[in-house]
Amino acid sequence: MAAIPENILSLVQKPARYCGGELNSVVKNKNDVSVRFAFCFPDLYEVGMSHLGMKILYSLLNNDPEVWCERVFAPDTDMEKILRERNLPLFALESRDSVGDFDMIGFTLQYELSYTGILNMLDLAGIPVRAEDRHELKNLVVAGGPCSCNPEPIADFIDLFMPGEGEEVLPEVVNLYKTAKKEGWSKKQYLCEAAKIPGVYVPSLIDVIYNDDGTVKEFIAKETASLPITKRIIKDLDSVFYPDKFVVPFIDIVHDRSQLELMRGCIRGCRFCQAGFIYRPVREKHFDTLCKDAHNLCDSTGYEELSLTSLSTSDYSELEPLLDDLLEWTPKEHVNLAVPSLRVDNFSESLLKKISKVRKSGLTFAPEAGTQRMRDVINKNVTEEEIMATCRTAFEGGYTAVKLYFMIGLPTETDDDVRGIVETAQRVVNLFYSLPNKPKGKGVQVTCSVASFVPKPFTPFQFEPQNSREELHRKQEVMRSALHSRKINLDWHDAETSYLEAVLARGDRKIGKVIETAWRKGCNLDSWDEHFKFDVWMESFAECGVEPEFYANRTRSYDEIMPWDIFDYAVSKKFIINENKKAHESVTTPNCRLKCSGCGANCLKGGACFE
Amino acid sequence: MNDMIDFIDIRLFYTKTGSAKYISHLDVMRAFQRALKRSKIDFWYTEGYHPHLYLTFALPLSLGYESVAESVDFRLIAPMPYEEIVRRINAVLPVGFKAIAACKPKMDAKKIRWADYEISFSAEEKDTEQLLADWYRCFDREEVPVIKKTKSGEKEINIRPHIKLSKLEFKDGRYSLRARLASGVELNINPDLVFEAFKVFSGFRPEDIKVRRTAVYNEKMEKFR
């Protein structure tokens, strides 16, 4: 019997978020499987269903006849209210059974502001939020995804983390669970065995000792655990599992299309970018694999759009031949191609021609900073000439809207750098009007989306303080007063959200009780402006006696032990420190393809990244 | 696409039942676009700037209702037996949707005037005798006024000439009836409007209302084909 009476679906907004039955969703008989796995995304359906990692792991787990993986998303507030009022549990979409019925409950950690969502989902399922209050093997709570590179803020709530890529380690963890269940192991026995699997982190088997000043003194590995724990990667992307089917949602979601993953990692080494460091080494999929994957996906989903995804799509070495192949059949089969994450410096004219055949919307570029000095500091190896040349190509190709991404609050930033953002946008506007062959009859629109910089673990800026909120507000004002054109739209993320993100990103285990307190006071879905309660968060820090500035606004020394130093993410600390020093000297580092800078990541691959 | 007549019009009848009733009309359109694409049948695409698979639905169904009398029109660029179309589309439709027949369209969807519904509901806190009495007093009136929301705003209409209700049965804790309601482009009386009218009259709205559309007709009460 499903836990959820169907008629509650008629009481909520967008019931198709909760009703399951989407094309390619997997329904099995629960009596035929030995492990039931609830794949939980701690945000709304529209966000979670857009996530490629979930699609990969959902298909991968369901390929095992002994496992049934179902999907669970955070309910929106109207559904949550109904569940709580009627004492109904959070449920999985495929069976509509309570999440409490599941053997393993897996969370994907995509962004720090989703942490309260994890607690809320566990609570809605009737499961104690703290790992120490869950005594049975059943309802084992596991987690993976990018934020597990520093999982310490949520170590109190999760039984086991899998830092790195999941396609190999997750089945290993699930297979061990099959054995444990068959042989009647205790939870403790399972965790001790799981800790022996490379890349598995069991927080209850590692103690953290702190200095009087609040920094980490040392880590103590207990029982079967050992340190450091090395993140897992997939060595060969051509032989690893890639789904030939995606679940096709009924409702419109954020990324509603077939996604083709071209590569993992990024050759660029922008110093602020966590993804650029934690996904190293760079590995590409072979052209033939991609052509096959693309066709399979389009056939099985009926999607009218195919996007080429990676951190920097124009760096994929076989992009032009791949586009040639895709452009051969996609128009005939009425599939549009979308090519996001293009860099401004290698956006060739022939590439633009190919893309403009299939897609005519605005173009987005990310110069990230407004002056050359600042771009050198962050190692965004893009020059003003390249930005202008790219915009010129775009305008001459008929585009009239350009979106530029920038950051404020970067290390060493001055007000000149901040004003440089608006000045760069102004030069793009001027460029448009200077072109004799500009698109006729239309004005130009330059949108600058300005984020506040958040220092992240495993990047060369992990030692850097975040600007205070007052300073960020002041810099936003500097930009506003430098703005004189109505052709430029300035928009920015609010500094409060970035501040909390900075605390959670580089937090330690002392943050756990703050997260729990904030959640108990009603914080949930914090990444949504309409739900974000900054004051409640600040109250919670105060109640727990934890100073957020300690995590966000303090300069950390090179020899400080970081909470995430339990992990070896393959990029050496020596390299990170050296990159930080070069940043302060405004010295750039060439991209990986031009010259190997010896970050150390290729040791996971067993050889050089590029021959 | 040079000749003038280069497509074949097809009308597909299908059912929408079970949890598929929670899929909104807009989402159904998208689901059909994608399902038809997967069937690999040679459909006709529009020829504008953004070509898309030509699809048109006769009478939108409200969110939460089931139906065994839905229809959608599309165009083929090569002939195919009707049974083959039904078979191939059934192979690609999501759970809860089932194609039942395909044919050449015989009526214009603009000619639709009536639709039949099977309706059931519960009213636990209401005395059965009282509810039945209220129901008949409400709908036996000469005029049954209710506020109808339209694109141009709200206006009061008398729905009495536009609804035909069967006897209200009570069995095993649920009430049920059949309703024939004005439908189509000119005037569309949604089953919910009947309950709205009842609420205006009695101050009471039943719970757990279940609706299933069973047939669609033109003015002469010929089934929509």
Side-chain angles (χ1 to χ4, degrees), chain A residues 573-585:
Chain A
K573 196 155 194 179
K574 194 172 138 235
F575 176 78
I576 286 179
I577 291 170
N578 196 36
E579 280 293 296
N580 183 277
K581 289 178 180 162
K582 284 168 83 178
H584 284 276
E585 295 157 7

Side-chain angles (χ1 to χ4, degrees), chain A residues 306-327:
Chain A
L306 170 71
S307 82
L308 307 184
T309 35
S310 74
L311 293 171
S312 181
T313 295
S314 43
D315 286 330
Y316 175 63
S317 51
E318 295 173 298
L319 184 60
E320 296 216 25
L322 177 66
L323 284 173
D324 285 337
D325 180 273
L326 295 174
L327 287 168

Side-chain angles (χ1 to χ4, degrees), chain A residues 6-10 12 14-16 19-23 96 248-252 256 295 298-304 333-335 360, chain B residues 18-24 26-28 30-31 33-35 37-38 40 43 45 49-52 63-64 92-95 97 208 210:
Chain A
E6 197 193 80
N7 59 10
I8 65 162
L9 294 179
S10 54
V12 295
K14 298 193 194 176
C19 74
E22 306 98 317
L23 183 86
R96 258 178 240 160
V248 182
F250 289 109
I251 63 168
D252 201 12
D256 203 9
H295 226 134
C298 289
D299 284 351
S300 68
T301 58
Y303 267 130
E304 49 293 284
E333 303 192 12
H334 303 282
V335 173
K360 199 90 170 178
Chain B
S19 62
K21 70 183 177 193
Y22 296 112
I23 317 302
S24 71
L26 196 69
D27 294 340
V28 168
R30 190 168 32 225
Q33 284 269 354
R34 289 172 181 166
K37 205 153 178 291
R38 291 190 298 274
K40 297 270 163 185
F43 293 101
Y45 278 70
Y49 196 67
H50 294 290
H52 58 272
L63 184 65
V92 294
L93 282 178
V95 180
F97 295 89
D208 198 16
K210 288 193 164 68

Side-chain angles (χ1 to χ4, degrees), chain A residues 60-257:
Chain A
L60 175 75
L61 287 173
N62 279 321
N63 257 11
D64 180 343
E66 287 183 63
V67 178
W68 185 11
C69 175
E70 301 184 40
R71 295 160 299 143
V72 187
F73 300 95
D76 205 346
T77 40
D78 60 341
M79 179 56 115
E80 172 168 356
K81 187 160 172 279
I82 288 171
L83 293 177
R84 291 201 186 274
E85 276 170 8
R86 304 188 178 202
N87 219 3
L88 292 168
L90 181 67
F91 57 95
L93 297 191
E94 282 77 359
S95 63
R96 258 178 240 160
D97 283 338
S98 166
V99 172
D101 293 351
F102 282 70
D103 296 301
M104 302 182 79
I105 298 163
F107 283 93
T108 177
L109 311 174
Q110 295 298 314
Y111 28 87
E112 295 81 0
L113 295 181
S114 66
Y115 291 166
T116 49
I118 297 172
L119 275 61
N120 201 48
M121 288 171 75
L122 288 173
D123 184 60
L124 276 168
I127 297 169
V129 297
R130 300 186 73 84
E132 63 192 12
D133 298 330
R134 301 188 298 262
H135 307 293
E136 306 298 320
L137 178 65
K138 191 168 173 165
N139 291 167
L140 188 82
V141 179
V142 305
C147 291
S148 55
C149 75
N150 178 28
E152 291 300 84
I154 51 169
D156 292 348
F157 315 112
I158 307 288
D159 295 311
L160 174 163
F161 291 95
M162 291 162 277
E165 294 164 11
E167 287 105 325
E168 288 172 359
V169 68
L170 182 58
E172 291 167 25
V173 165
V174 171
N175 286 337
L176 184 69
Y177 191 98
K178 288 180 197 164
T179 309
K181 199 176 165 187
K182 212 171 292 163
E183 297 180 1
W185 295 2
S186 67
K187 177 179 173 181
K188 178 78 192 283
Q189 192 182 355
Y190 173 82
L191 289 175
C192 283
E193 284 303 309
K196 295 180 191 167
I197 298 174
V200 168
Y201 168 46
V202 177
S204 57
L205 298 182
I206 308 279
D207 281 342
V208 185
I209 313 293
Y210 295 96
N211 293 309
D212 292 340
D213 66 4
T215 56
V216 174
K217 183 160 185 263
E218 61 176 326
F219 304 107
I220 299 169
K222 301 186 294 189
E223 313 204 33
T224 53
S226 57
L227 287 170
I229 294 153
T230 305
K231 73 154 181 176
R232 293 284 291 267
I233 67 153
I234 303 301
K235 280 188 188 163
D236 175 15
L237 291 187
D238 288 311
S239 56
V240 74
F241 175 85
Y242 197 72
D244 55 3
K245 291 186 177 84
F246 280 5
V247 176
V248 182
F250 289 109
I251 63 168
D252 201 12
I253 60 170
V254 180
H255 298 296
D256 203 9
R257 55 184 78 97

Side-chain angles (χ1 to χ4, degrees), chain A residues 20-36:
Chain A
E22 306 98 317
L23 183 86
N24 298 330
S25 58
V26 179
V27 175
K28 298 186 183 185
N29 182 337
K30 65 181 174 189
N31 301 316
D32 294 345
V33 299
S34 53
V35 176
R36 294 186 73 183

